[in-house]
Amino acid sequence: MWAGAIAFGLCFAPALRAQDAPAEPAAETKTEAPADAAAPADAAAPADAPTPPAWFTGMTEKGEPATDVIGAKMGASLTAAGDGKADIPENLKHADIYDRVAHNWFSINFVWTLITGFLVMFMQAGFACVETGLCRAKNSSHTFAMNLMIYPLGCLAFYAYGFAIGWGNWFNGPVPPGWVATLGPGLTVLNGGVGIEPGTTPEGAPTGAFKWGLMGTKGFFLHGVQDVSVMALFFFMMVFMDTTATIPTGTMAERWAWKNFCLFGLWVAFPYCLYANWVWGGGWLAQLGINKGFGHGAVDFAGSGVVHSMGGVIALIGGIIVGPRIGKYVDGKPRAIPGHSVPMVCVGTFILAFGWFGFNPGSTLAGTDLRISFVVVNTMLAGTTAALGCMFWLMFVRGLKPDPSMMCNGMLAGLVAITAPCAFVNTTGAAIIGLIAGILVVESVFFIDKAGVDDVVGAISVHGVNGLFGVISVGLFATGEYGAGWNGVDRYSGLDDAGKKAWEDSVHFAYDGVRGLFYGDSSQLVAQLISCASVIAVGVVCSFVFFKLSALITPIRVSREIEMEGLDGPEMGSLGYPDFELKGGALDA
């Protein structure tokens, strides 16, 4: 099954996330190339067109990718004095001004990417509060410690091998030849990978990419790729992976043995980065549009599939293998095991909702991409309508009280679902997606519970189920207003003005961004469904093999005695609440 999933893999280079959609699209691309970045290399240019600056290509004089460790090769900073190049207005030539404008453009994108990455990193505190609050007090120290240590464990794995697998063949950003990546031309150094059918330029020169890409191979331990652009990308992508890594800790809490958890922290980068390469790293899923005509290929703006579905699938397999907590099922029927601090859960949810404003708009990797305002509003709307939908569904359909912890999961479900389509849908679509997610999470939680899978925090439903729904939502609700040229797909290519007008009239749009079924492109839904099947296959196979093998090294579950006592003392040697008297027993604190 695993071999079949890999064999199915294929791709070309460019593939990732955000982009402006001009009224008349050019061959633009994902996150890394705003429409005003530069003109495509193959665009018609006047005979006297100026030569771009040398740093534009990110290459050395020998034509090899060059690293830039201080940012000196991306335009020029302002200088107060110097050898004739001081910033005295009357002394500056057009090329000098261009260098300074470009340097500022890169700087804005760097700051935006890093600050939004800081917000994503802070989301770890939110996860810790939500998961710990939904656990019993006797396991609070253990659960919080898992959320703490998954950060350094996952970071080490990402540094050692994950980044290379996921982004080692990211090919200039990824952007088409002639474009400058939003984080700088230094990303051309990420030019090694494994795949089928090497890509070439129109002149026949190898691009370093593949028509059907499988994984990257450049940048293990960041060796050979220490460039300022790569460092910004590395940090941002690492904190994203940490979100995936922490999802299973919520499902498997209160019985997961610490040593086995540590092995998990060192392993989780593998399935995450492999699938991320296929969608975000120029892999075969991203190129389904170019190679097979399926929309713009698999599109996942900020990670409903790459981040959340992968974490949810791993949590599902882990929850099945580790088994339910003692006392969870009596005579085959599930019993509620209340957490010890609902206020902590609510606080954690607000922290996560706040961090999501880094998660989604930050995925443009460009503060200069003004679509960020749409992304922010869509993210907010989906989270709020999901919480409301969850509340009303509980009260008026299920006939239950408005459980605060369930409403928190409702809000998180909406945020998860909007993560993939946030840049491609309008506000109405975002509100509808959130509303559906808020209902879907309720029904999924009950279904998972009755199926015999003990998910302490509802992570499978929030992240797994709604992550898949978010990926599918792109194929349904994307309006075509944004993402022209995404994954290299340009339907205007080769058309004259009359051909463009005829095409626009046929689809009733004057732009060629990512469009879903409801806006005229059913093939995009096909790409999204293939992406969903792929994340399920990779997540199920990899996690099943890992949990089974790791259990042979060290037990995956604590003993019955430790579970009854609580994991804080026996596993951690530190009680979360040492001043409280905690009773023994399966359902006690």
Side-chain angles (χ1 to χ4, degrees):
M1 188 173 178
W2 172 236
I6 290 186
F8 191 44
L10 334 142
C11 157
F12 168 53
L16 188 65
R17 20 275 209 117
Q19 187 49 51
D20 273 344
E24 184 172 333
E28 81 112 4
T29 185
K30 347 13 162 186
T31 320
E32 280 302 83
D36 58 355
D42 58 354
D48 59 347
T51 302
W55 53 262
F56 188 95
T57 64
M59 298 290 183
T60 66
E61 293 181 357
K62 296 181 180 180
E64 300 173 347
T67 56
D68 182 3
V69 297
I70 59 172
K73 301 175 184 177
M74 294 188 291
S77 300
L78 294 175
T79 54
D83 51 354
K85 296 183 179 179
D87 285 290
I88 301 173
E90 57 266 30
N91 292 343
L92 294 177
K93 299 179 181 179
H94 287 168
D96 298 324
I97 297 173
Y98 177 87
D99 281 348
R100 283 149 182 77
V101 170
H103 188 84
N104 288 341
W105 185 72
F106 289 128
S107 300
I108 291 169
N109 295 337
F110 264 56
V111 172
W112 171 258
T113 300
L114 292 175
I115 289 178
T116 54
F118 302 156
L119 289 177
V120 176
M121 187 270 183
F122 186 61
M123 290 174 72
Q124 199 62 37
F127 279 112
C129 289
V130 169
E131 294 180 10
T132 302
L134 289 171
C135 291
R136 289 164 290 182
K138 65 182 181 181
N139 298 308
S140 57
S141 180
H142 183 273
T143 303
F144 225 102
M146 286 196 294
N147 281 271
L148 168 68
M149 292 308 295
I150 197 62
Y151 177 70
L153 288 167
C155 183
L156 177 61
F158 194 74
Y159 169 64
Y161 67 89
F163 182 70
I165 291 175
W167 290 269
N169 195 34
W170 208 39
F171 192 60
N172 197 29
V175 294
W179 288 79
V180 176
T182 58
L183 295 181
L187 293 177
T188 54
V189 73
L190 299 173
N191 63 343
V194 174
I196 302 171
E197 295 187 45
T200 59
T201 65
E203 294 75 27
T207 63
F210 296 90
K211 182 177 181 181
W212 303 103
L214 299 175
M215 59 180 283
T217 58
K218 187 77 175 288
F220 292 101
F221 292 97
L222 291 177
H223 178 71
V225 298
Q226 297 201 20
D227 178 278
V228 290
S229 301
V230 175
M231 294 302 106
L233 179 69
F234 174 87
F235 169 74
F236 190 80
M237 294 305 176
M238 186 274 141
V239 293
F240 263 55
M241 189 212 73
D242 197 50
T243 299
T244 296
T246 203
I247 291 170
T249 63
T251 295
M252 301 170 67
E254 301 201 292
R255 72 269 201 207
W256 197 356
W258 183 258
K259 292 180 181 178
N260 191 276
F261 156 76
C262 288
L263 291 179
F264 165 83
L266 297 173
W267 162 85
V268 69
F270 174 72
Y272 172 86
C273 293
L274 183 64
Y275 177 68
N277 176 269
W278 296 354
V279 179
W280 287 348
W284 66 274
L285 286 172
Q287 300 307 312
L288 287 173
I290 289 179
N291 294 333
K292 295 296 182 181
F294 294 145
H296 283 72
V299 172
D300 186 352
F301 188 77
S304 289
V306 174
V307 177
H308 297 282
S309 291
M310 178 60 74
V313 171
I314 295 172
L316 173 63
I317 302 304
I320 292 173
I321 292 177
V322 76
R325 291 167 291 175
I326 297 171
K328 174 62 180 178
Y329 292 93
V330 177
D331 297 328
K333 296 182 179 180
R335 296 178 62 188
I337 302 180
H340 80 284
S341 179
V342 172
M344 183 185 291
V345 176
C346 294
V347 169
T349 300
F350 271 113
I351 292 174
L352 287 170
F354 174 67
W356 237 286
F357 292 124
F359 208 98
N360 287 0
S363 291
T364 56
L365 302 185
T368 54
D369 184 346
L370 301 187
R371 184 70 175 187
I372 55 179
S373 61
F374 258 83
V375 176
V376 168
V377 172
N378 285 343
T379 300
M380 177 180 66
L381 285 174
T384 53
T385 57
L388 291 170
C390 177
M391 179 184 73
F392 288 125
W393 193 262
L394 285 171
M395 295 174 64
F396 300 115
V397 177
R398 281 282 184 170
L400 302 173
K401 298 291 185 181
D403 178 11
S405 64
M406 185 66 86
M407 290 188 293
C408 285
N409 272 347
M411 178 175 288
L412 296 178
L415 293 168
V416 168
I418 198 60
T419 297
C422 57
F424 307 107
V425 301
N426 56 29
T427 56
T428 301
I432 293 172
I433 289 169
L435 183 64
I436 295 173
I439 296 171
L440 187 59
V441 72
V442 174
E443 295 306 314
S444 178
V445 164
F446 284 119
F447 176 81
I448 294 293
D449 216 23
K450 291 180 179 179
V453 180
D454 184 9
D455 184 356
V456 178
V457 304
I460 299 168
S461 301
V462 171
H463 301 278
V465 173
N466 279 284
L468 293 173
F469 171 59
V471 174
I472 294 171
S473 292
V474 176
L476 297 174
F477 295 96
T479 64
E481 297 168 335
Y482 181 83
W486 194 277
N487 288 335
V489 175
D490 178 17
R491 293 187 176 91
Y492 282 169
S493 179
L495 298 179
D496 56 17
D497 290 343
K500 293 178 182 179
K501 182 63 166 58
W503 186 88
E504 291 169 1
D505 290 343
S506 69
V507 297
H508 308 293
F509 293 105
Y511 32 70
D512 184 32
V514 177
R515 291 181 293 115
L517 177 65
F518 300 153
Y519 293 84
D521 189 359
S522 59
S523 69
Q524 186 62 56
L525 180 58
V526 175
Q528 300 306 110
L529 292 174
I530 294 174
S531 187
C532 287
S534 299
V535 70
I536 292 172
V538 173
V540 168
V541 174
C542 286
S543 55
F544 180 83
V545 172
F546 166 77
F547 284 121
K548 287 296 185 181
L549 291 180
S550 67
L552 299 178
I553 300 172
T554 183
I556 190 173
R557 182 168 182 154
V558 299
S559 67
R560 178 182 178 85
E561 292 73 24
I562 290 177
E563 184 176 346
M564 295 291 285
E565 178 183 345
L567 279 62
D568 284 4
E571 283 277 286
M572 310 308 300
S574 176
L575 300 179
Y577 301 98
D579 295 332
F580 292 179
E581 180 182 353
L582 305 181
K583 302 177 181 179
L587 301 181
D588 294 325

